[in-house]
Amino acid sequence: MHTGYIAMTYHIRLAARGCYRVYVNVVFIFSASLPIGTIPFTCNLSRLQPHHELIGSSQEAAMTFGTLDFHTALITGGGGGIGKAIAKYFVSQGKQVIIAGRTEKNLQETVQELSHKASYYILDTGNLQSLSDFIEKVTLEHPNLDCLVNNAGVQKPLDVSELSPQEFLQKADQEIAININGPMHLAVGLLPHLQRRKEGAIIMNVSSTLGYLPTSIINPVYNGSKAWVHFFSMNLRTQLQGTNVRVIEIAPPQVSTDLHRERKDPDDNKGPSAMPIDVFMNDVVAAWKEDRETIGAGPSKKIVERWYREFGEDYNTAASSWGPK
């Protein structure tokens, strides 16, 4: 047991159906001398769970659309890696799952692994001209679609000192199309359909810890694209507050997948420093069950929390004053 005092800050944000969700940040400060006006508090550290999001009452909890309350999910990049792992979990929870990706062979193998409990579409999210027709087709064939997982992405090693301007820009443009333009077009294009889902709907964007701290110098465009996903998710969430659509961001650390397939050593993210995908999913699932809106896993938890500790209050101030004029 440890003695000290609690420092607590909170903000209240309008959630679905006019309910209010209360977010509480609690810091336990160990000290023998307490500031004036504080109350001593004794705490068993083994029972403290950081970064919880609390809902003000059981009635509000029942009325709020939870992260896993959706019926049907569309997962881009669902033929492998994180997208495939997410599809497996959703299927295990009895959800209807649609996976989309560029390589039909990978999609077919994934559907087979899922015992044909998922369907698939061939889709290049970087081909913007095709997305409008795809949105029309998928919503017509799956009217219960109420969850979009923007997971598809590519990571290209780009060094301005090694590539010609033409080659650098060609690869960078493709990376931007897939990592930025595709998720934006899908989220905004599907929004009218999702807003018609009276019970609620979810937009889930996969960013990266590199969008918070760009330490992979060989990936300047990837880092920037994931920073865009992070900030887009924040702003979209604020613009949609009070509606039936919730916006979730997942910020993975280095995870053992095929993301580095274009590097000289395509397996350099599969060593001991990489997070095994099953361990990654354990953290993500736990956060889903807690209805967190920004999700780190393993080492990315600290980076995400550090960013919000530094800038979260500033953003909340801006968000609290935002609204239709």
Side-chain angles (χ1 to χ4, degrees), residues 65-266:
F65 192 78
T67 304
L68 296 175
D69 288 345
F70 64 87
H71 180 274
T72 303
L74 166 64
I75 306 169
T76 65
I82 290 173
K84 182 177 181 178
I86 291 174
K88 285 183 176 180
Y89 178 76
F90 286 171
V91 166
S92 76
Q93 299 303 298
K95 308 295 185 183
Q96 289 194 8
V97 173
I98 310 155
I99 59 174
R102 292 182 293 174
T103 308
E104 185 171 20
K105 179 176 178 290
N106 293 343
L107 297 169
Q108 290 174 335
E109 289 176 353
T110 297
V111 168
Q112 187 172 1
E113 285 184 44
L114 296 173
S115 301
H116 299 278
K117 294 179 180 178
S119 56
Y120 75 85
Y121 291 84
I122 300 172
L123 178 70
D124 179 359
T125 57
N127 181 1
L128 302 184
Q129 289 71 30
S130 69
L131 294 186
S132 179
D133 289 342
F134 169 75
I135 290 170
E136 182 177 356
K137 180 180 177 63
V138 75
T139 52
L140 179 65
E141 296 180 353
H142 301 275
N144 289 330
L145 175 64
D146 53 359
C147 175
L148 166 66
V149 182
N150 268 322
N151 167 75
V154 294
Q155 186 186 89
K156 295 181 177 294
L158 297 172
D159 186 342
V160 292
S161 64
E162 292 185 358
L163 300 176
S164 69
Q166 293 78 10
E167 185 178 5
F168 184 103
L169 293 174
Q170 184 272 325
K171 291 182 176 181
D173 284 345
Q174 184 188 25
E175 194 167 10
I176 290 168
I178 294 172
N179 293 2
I180 294 180
N181 296 337
M184 177 176 65
H185 279 250
L186 285 172
V188 176
L190 279 167
L191 193 55
H193 170 83
L194 296 176
Q195 289 176 318
R196 288 193 291 269
R197 301 291 301 172
K198 294 181 180 180
E199 296 82 3
I202 299 290
I203 295 174
M204 200 175 296
N205 296 323
V206 178
S207 63
S208 168
T209 184
L210 293 173
Y212 291 74
L213 186 62
T215 53
S216 183
I217 311 302
I218 194 62
N219 299 118
V221 175
Y222 180 85
N223 299 341
S225 71
K226 292 305 181 177
W228 179 91
V229 172
H230 166 50
F231 292 127
F232 177 70
S233 299
M234 291 181 70
N235 289 166
L236 187 62
R237 181 183 303 127
T238 300
Q239 291 187 10
L240 292 174
Q241 64 186 5
T243 75
N244 67 318
V245 181
R246 293 184 56 216
V247 179
I248 313 296
E249 178 194 353
I250 303 173
Q254 186 179 80
V255 180
S256 183
T257 67
D258 292 330
L259 183 64
H260 289 190
R261 56 188 171 271
E262 294 192 33
R263 291 194 179 189
K264 292 178 181 178
D265 178 4

Side-chain angles (χ1 to χ4, degrees), residues 67 248-252 283-284 287-288 292-297 300 304:
T67 304
I248 313 296
E249 178 194 353
I250 303 173
D283 281 359
V284 171
W288 282 339
R292 297 191 191 182
E293 292 183 328
T294 306
I295 300 171
S300 70
V304 170

